[in-house]
Amino acid sequence: MIVPPAGTRIWIAAGITDMRRGFDGLAALVHTQLQADPFSGQIFVFRGRRGDRIKVLWWDGDGLCLFAKRLENGKFVWPQVTHGTVALTPAQLSMLLEGIDWRRPVRTAPNRAA
């Protein structure tokens, strides 16, 4: 797994994206529709129409990285909003990539206060 630097912001692009888009097409989407800089070092996550495919776009300082994943069973959990972005934590991104519902993770044991 590629680990971005601490403090990297992670954004889900709300709605659906044409998964035929590559580096340039997704970077253009980030710039025009999300009003963000695709070369800022932030991570942008896009989902396809069927919900079983995602692409992750990230500028690592040397070039654009494009990660794609297709679930063989199930769908990626996506927010209901259709425009804009939703911020994620690195832990939520990890759950999303595993096909886990990142919106309401449940602890298996009670959280003990120190």
Side-chain angles (χ1 to χ4, degrees), residues 10 16 21 30 36-37 45 47 70 76 79:
I10 303 165
I16 57 171
R21 289 181 183 255
V30 169
D37 179 7
V45 185
R47 187 183 91 153
R70 179 184 70 201
F76 291 104

Side-chain angles (χ1 to χ4, degrees), residues 17 30 35 40 42 45 58 90 107:
T17 302
V30 169
Q35 311 284 307
S40 64
Q42 299 177 71
V45 185
W58 172 46
R107 292 185 183 273

